[in-house]
Amino acid sequence: MKDPEHGEVPSESGASAAGRGEARKHASRGGKGKRRRRKPSGSPPAIASRSGEAGEAGRPAAMDEAEPARKRKRRRRSKSARPQNEPAAAASGGDVPLLHATVTGKKSHRRSGKARHRRGLQGRPLASAGKPPATPRPGESQRPRGAETAPPQPPQQPRSEKVSAPYVAPSEPPSPFYAALDLGTNNCRLLVAQPTRPGQFRVVDAFSRIVRLGEGLGASGRLSDDAMERSVEALKICAAKLNTRSIRRRRLIATEAARSAANGETFLKRVAEETGLELEIINRETEARLAVSGCSSLVDRETKSVVLFDIGGGSSEIAVIRIGENRSSRLANHITHWTSLPVGVVTLSERHGGEHVTPQSFETMVREVEDMLAAFDSPSVDALASGTDSGFHLIGTSGTVTTLAGVHLDLPRYDRRRVDGLWLSDDEVSAMQARLLSWDFAARAANPCIGPDRADLVLAGCAILEAIRRRWPSTRMRVADRGLREGLLTDMMADDGAWRRARPRRHQRSFGPPPAGEERLKSHEGNNA
């Protein structure tokens, strides 16, 4: 028998090695074979010596029974301690440099002690760190003994310090972006969102600015040059925000001001030329349905009937919702009656004055809206509130009701998270309206939840709210700081199946689709009419 390093090995060593191999063979059969005992010999047992690894030369024959396991452990320790820039020969079975003796640890110190004298336990010299490894004879394998239990490892590449982008699995593409823009009579609003959990989305960007597009519309029937200029400047900001992201689908709408103005179409052509945004004018029924879709999560599952209203700048939409036993995934499908009043906070304040409002002028505004509601054929409040489990209540989505909620909470600064979804009793709403009516224009402008831009509009909105409360008396009202933009996003994501394509993660258990209308919105700019 030949040793890869030192040539011939005495025959006694070969016989004892064969005996040990046979014993190991029987031991690997799970104890079924009988272990062969080695005859005692007067001569000292020959010990195989290897210089393949520093400090590994020479072990007693009694320790050879556990040799494969030890070798595997040593190989793992040596690989983990090997420097990254070490030559590939060390990993493929060649001589390992004596640099391994510098690895920290007690065993490393023992190895360095053996290597210091350059001799093993049998007195044979070890490989020198400065000399090249011994060249094996032709026909001999370069793999070390016991390598059949662990295949040779490829040479390790030095670790790169370059930081790469996070890996995204092809089966999990990033969520697309959806955008919704609402150009109203008073405000220009934009939302950019991503669908998340079924029925929910996350707002990633938002914009809101008071532009008063409908200023002077009631008297002249046309959009003024100043109002159009303010609106175009705001739309340019929205276009810049949209151009910074890859939007999968977007819907840009214009409501009452562009709908009723004689030069509304001309204005939208100018917007397309200067900003690149193509706006569509929606009808009043679509506007009412979008308002309901945006507030669907605020209707409890136990509620059977709701009157939802959206007090805008040039019009006010009202929808009667009656939910039966089979609730649809879209709350707008349960609208039984709806109307759109051609009056809003801008048009009403221009007719009756918004800066100086007296109790008499406030009552005049309320009666004007009541006359409009008288022509609306809808179920009575007794029919809506019939039954012990009807849960009838009002839902208001506009700057008027959010302002009342902010004043009620005495907020030092408007906070949508505290306002959206807030319940107000009938007495609390009456107290807030009386409080605002007692303030003059300067006091309203100084309030942080109103500000100078809305100080002349808030009482006109309260007059519209009062007329609705008189038509449908309710003990409670829920405040919604959301509206058309949220309805647009919800409808687009539902139409595209953005939530149906989502799959639960492997480590999560799926309990089926969530209840209808459970979307939750992150904090963004308020829904000011």
Side-chain angles (χ1 to χ4, degrees), residues 308-367:
L308 186 144
F309 58 90
D310 180 9
I311 303 175
S315 65
S316 298
E317 282 67 41
I318 303 172
V320 178
I321 304 169
R322 306 190 72 175
I323 306 171
E325 296 298 330
N326 299 324
R327 178 166 178 166
S328 173
S329 59
R330 298 191 182 187
L331 188 63
N333 294 338
H334 295 287
I335 298 176
T336 60
H337 301 76
W338 70 275
T339 187
S340 180
L341 307 180
V343 63
V345 294
V346 176
T347 55
L348 194 62
S349 63
E350 287 181 350
R351 284 201 295 267
H352 298 274
E355 292 189 5
H356 306 287
V357 180
T358 63
Q360 292 76 17
S361 61
F362 180 80
E363 186 65 25
T364 302
M365 290 189 287
V366 174
R367 290 180 180 177

Side-chain angles (χ1 to χ4, degrees), residues 184-186 217 254-257 259-260 282-285 287-288 309-318 338-348 351 372 397-398 464 468 484 529:
T185 306
N186 192 49
L217 178 61
T255 56
E256 182 63 25
R259 185 168 56 219
S260 59
I282 61 173
N283 55 37
R284 292 175 177 176
E285 181 180 1
E287 189 172 352
F309 58 90
D310 180 9
I311 303 175
S315 65
S316 298
E317 282 67 41
I318 303 172
W338 70 275
T339 187
S340 180
L341 307 180
V343 63
V345 294
V346 176
T347 55
L348 194 62
R351 284 201 295 267
M372 296 180 184
T397 165
S398 66
I464 300 174
I468 295 173
L484 302 185

Side-chain angles (χ1 to χ4, degrees), residues 55-78:
E56 203 177 89
R59 281 187 304 277
M63 298 176 62
D64 282 352
E65 295 297 331
E67 181 177 294
R70 281 200 184 89
K71 284 189 176 183
R72 286 196 295 271
K73 292 180 181 179
R74 280 197 294 272
R75 274 197 299 274
R76 286 195 291 267
R77 285 195 293 267
S78 63

